[in-house]
Amino acid sequence: MSRSAHPAGPRHADVYPEGHYTAPAADLNVLDEKVWARTVRRDDDGVVSVGGIEVSRLAEEFGTPAYFLDESDFRARCRAWADAFGPDADVFYAGKAFLSRAVVRWLQEEGLNLDVCSGGELTTALDAGMPAERIAFHGNNKSVEEIERAVRVGVGRIVLDSFQEIVRVAHIAQSMGRRQRVQIRVTVGVEAHTHEFIATAHEDQKFGIALADGQAAEAVRRALRLDGIELIGIHSHIGSQIFDMAGFEVSARRVVQLLAEVRDEHGVELPEIDLGGGLGIAYTSEDDPSEPHQIAKALNEIVSRECEAHGLATPRISVEPGRAIVGPTAFTLYEVGTIKPLEGLRTYVSVDGGMSDNIRTALYDAEYSVALVSRASDAEPMLVRVVGKHCESGDIVVRDAFLPADLAPGDLIAVPATGAYCRSMASNYNHSLRPPVVAVNDGRARVIVRRETEEDLLRLDVG
Ligand code: LLP
C-alpha cells in the first residue's frame, strides 16, 4: 500500500525512490502524540523522556535495545476500556500481545480479566495471582494437559474451537467431576485485514466453527447435550488491527442470529457473547483509531438492536483487546550503529536489534514510525530504512521513514507503538538476546522482564 510516491520538497523529489512514505513532518523533533505513549515528551534540552526519565539515562542504566513501557498509560487504557464497557460487560486483556507478571497485577488492580492461549500464559497469570475465574482459555489445539490444568484450576471459561474439542473438554471435565463453563468460537464469514474487511471463505482457516452450513448450530446442539460442560455463550474474533466497525457489526449481527436460532431450537437463551479483540492502533500519523468509549457504544448499540429485533434479552458482552491496550504504551529504544547512504535510494540505518525484537515488519509488512530521541536536530530530513543486525536482508524494523541528516553512530532512536506483539514474538535469531521490558512510571523505572544473557542461551543448550 503505497501512500505517496514522493515526499514534498523539490530538493528531494528527484532523488527519493517510490516507497511507503508520506512527506516528512514539518519538524522532525515534534513527537506525534497519537503514536507515542502518553508521558513521552521532548524536554527543553531536546532529549526525550518517558515517565519523567530521559531516554539517555534509561539507555545508560538498562542498555539497548530495550522496550520501555509507560505504566500509567497502560493502566489508563485498562481503565478506559473497563469504564467504557461498564459493570454489565467484561473486558479480557489478550495476553498474547504482551504478558508478564507485572502486567497481570496491573490488570487485576484495574479490574480487567485475562485471555490466555497457552499453558505458559496460564502459568504466568496464575503465578501473579490472577483469580482463575477471571481467565478465559483460548486456542485451536489445546493439549489434554492444558485442558486438564485449566479445568482443575477453575478457569472462568474455555473457548471451544472445534467439534473434537467440545467432546474432549466435556470428557475431561466430567472425569474430574467438574462442569466447565465454555463458549463456542464461531467464524462469522468476515475477515478483517487492517483497514478493510472482506468476505472470506470461512472454511479456509484454522480457527473456530463456521456459522455457515449450520456447523455452529450443530456444535451448540452437541455441547448442550454434554454434562461436563456448561455452554455460556458464543465467541467471535474477526481479525486484527481493524479500524472499521463494520466488520464487528456483521459479526455481532450473525452471532445474535445464532443466539436466536438456539433459543428457537432448544428454548435456551445463551447469556453471553464475546466479540473478541482486534481494534487497531496508530503506528504512524496516518492511522486514526477509535476510542474505547466509541467502540463500546457502537458494539452495545448493534447488539441491543439485533437482540430486540429477535426478541432476545441482551446478553452480557465481553471483548478481548490486546494491542489496543498495550501497543501504544511502549517504544523500543535502539542505538544507531552503521549508517550506509545509498546514492539515489535511501540511507540504511543499522540498529543494535532488529527482526529478533520486532518481527512484525518482516512478517506483516507492518509500518512503524521512528524518531531521534537523544537530542533534537535541525538538520534536513533524510529518507531512511531502519534495519537490524541480523544476517538477513529482510531484517527491517522501519521500512521508510525520515530522520535528521546529521544522524550519527551512538545516537538513540526510538520506534513507538511496539508494546504489542514485539516482545511476545521476539526470538533468539542469530543467538541474539531478547531485550528487557522496563516499566517507567512517575520518575521510576524498573525491569519487569529482564534482558536475556548469554548464560541463558547456554543453559538451554545442554550440549
Ligand atoms: N482474542 C482472540 C481470540 C485473538 O485471537 C486475538 C488475537 C485477540 C483477542 C487480540 O487481538 P488484538 O486486540 O491484540 O488485535 N501477531 C499479530 C496479531 C495476531 C493476533 C492474534 N489474535 C500482530 O502482530 O499483529
Side-chain angles (χ1 to χ4, degrees):
M1 201 183 6
S2 176
R3 289 201 197 125
S4 103
H6 296 288
R11 202 153 35 79
H12 297 290
D14 51 350
V15 292
Y16 288 142
E18 297 262 325
H20 290 228
Y21 50 88
T22 52
D27 181 352
L28 291 184
N29 296 310
V30 175
L31 302 172
D32 182 350
E33 60 184 29
K34 251 203 304 190
V35 299
W36 292 90
R38 285 181 195 169
T39 68
V40 170
R41 313 250 178 287
R42 193 180 289 276
D43 301 338
D44 294 341
D45 59 2
V47 182
V48 170
S49 65
V50 56
I53 311 182
E54 293 197 336
V55 292
S56 39
R57 266 186 53 207
L58 292 171
E60 238 166 69
E61 187 170 349
F62 302 102
T64 56
Y67 307 99
F68 292 96
L69 194 158
D70 181 342
E71 180 182 336
S72 64
D73 192 6
F74 184 98
R75 288 176 179 273
R77 287 174 195 276
C78 289
R79 284 196 296 275
W81 278 86
D83 292 348
F85 280 87
D88 298 330
D90 300 297
V91 180
F92 287 76
Y93 169 75
K96 66 207 84 181
F98 171 63
L99 196 64
S100 77
R101 289 184 287 190
V103 162
V104 175
R105 284 190 287 271
W106 300 339
L107 294 172
Q108 287 175 75
E109 286 164 13
E110 305 302 342
L112 262 60
N113 307 288
L114 177 62
D115 139 13
V116 302
C117 66
S118 71
E121 289 184 357
L122 181 60
T123 298
T124 305
L126 294 173
D127 191 83
M130 178 61 87
E133 63 272 15
R134 283 171 58 184
I135 298 175
F137 197 86
H138 273 279
N140 68 303
N141 188 24
K142 306 168 192 78
S143 71
V144 168
E145 189 278 329
E146 285 173 327
I147 296 169
E148 283 172 352
R149 187 144 56 105
V151 174
R152 190 172 57 246
V153 302
V155 298
R157 63 179 66 159
I158 295 181
V159 181
L160 302 174
D161 201 81
S162 65
F163 282 99
Q164 287 182 340
E165 203 170 70
I166 293 172
V167 178
R168 199 175 288 148
V169 171
H171 176 76
I172 290 171
Q174 198 173 11
S175 67
M176 293 168 75
R178 299 286 183 87
R179 189 144 196 259
Q180 176 63 48
R181 287 157 62 87
V182 297
Q183 292 187 337
I184 292 176
R185 178 167 174 175
V186 302
T187 41
V188 293
V190 288
E191 181 192 329
H193 273 310
T194 61
H195 300 256
E196 47 191 59
F197 71 97
I198 49 167
T200 179
H202 43 261
E203 64 270 17
D204 200 4
Q205 60 146 313
K206 70 172 184 171
F207 289 112
I209 298 176
L211 268 179
D213 307 335
Q215 296 284 303
E218 176 58 19
V220 170
R221 218 168 277 136
R222 293 189 196 177
L224 288 175
R225 279 204 294 265
L226 295 165
D227 291 334
I229 52 181
E230 178 192 351
L231 181 62
I232 58 164
I234 302 295
H235 182 285
S236 162
H237 170 76
I238 58 170
S240 273
Q241 187 58 3
I242 302 163
F243 291 97
D244 189 344
M245 289 305 291
F248 287 101
E249 193 158 334
V250 175
S251 169
R253 215 170 35 237
R254 295 187 183 165
V255 167
V256 172
Q257 166 75 33
L258 177 63
L259 294 189
E261 286 167 25
V262 170
R263 188 254 339 255
D264 295 345
E265 183 178 341
H266 306 281
V268 173
E269 285 201 24
L270 298 177
E272 299 195 18
I273 63 174
D274 189 316
L275 295 171
L279 291 141
I281 62 164
Y283 285 103
T284 74
S285 301
E286 305 282 291
D287 298 324
D288 284 309
S290 307
E291 294 294 324
H293 68 89
Q294 296 168 310
I295 294 155
K297 184 167 180 284
L299 291 182
N300 284 329
E301 274 173 14
I302 300 162
V303 173
S304 313
R305 194 181 60 222
E306 293 299 315
C307 285
E308 207 172 307
H310 288 286
L312 287 164
T314 305
R316 192 173 176 89
I317 297 177
S318 45
V319 286
E320 298 170 336
R323 186 191 323 264
I325 291 178
V326 71
T329 68
F331 60 81
T332 315
L333 188 64
Y334 299 103
E335 185 177 310
V336 172
T338 306
I339 298 176
K340 198 182 277 186
L342 298 188
E343 196 53 41
L345 291 170
R346 70 193 86 242
T347 296
Y348 279 77
V349 173
S350 294
V351 294
D352 46 0
M355 65 195 298
S356 55
D357 59 70
N358 187 350
I359 191 65
R360 297 193 68 260
T361 307
L363 201 54
Y364 312 116
D365 220 3
E367 292 185 9
Y368 281 94
S369 325
V370 62
L372 170 62
V373 289
S374 47
R375 61 185 173 90
S377 166
D378 294 327
E380 287 297 310
M382 148 175 91
L383 179 64
V384 299
R385 179 159 291 172
V386 179
V387 295
K389 59 180 292 169
H390 298 286
C391 289
E392 187 153 327
S393 57
D395 173 23
I396 297 168
V397 180
V398 186
R399 193 171 302 281
D400 295 298
F402 288 88
L403 283 171
D406 65 350
L407 193 76
D411 277 334
L412 297 174
I413 61 175
V415 174
T418 57
Y421 304 109
C422 287
R423 181 58 180 78
S424 67
M425 294 174 80
S427 78
N428 289 118
Y429 186 39
N430 299 142
H431 283 204
S432 53
L433 306 170
R434 286 181 294 175
V437 181
V438 180
V440 185
N441 194 12
D442 216 2
R444 284 190 34 233
R446 69 187 174 105
V447 174
I448 58 171
V449 179
R450 74 161 166 79
R451 186 185 300 284
E452 274 180 332
T453 62
E454 292 189 344
E455 292 76 60
D456 291 328
L457 294 182
L458 293 178
R459 201 170 302 139
L460 295 179
D461 178 344
V462 294

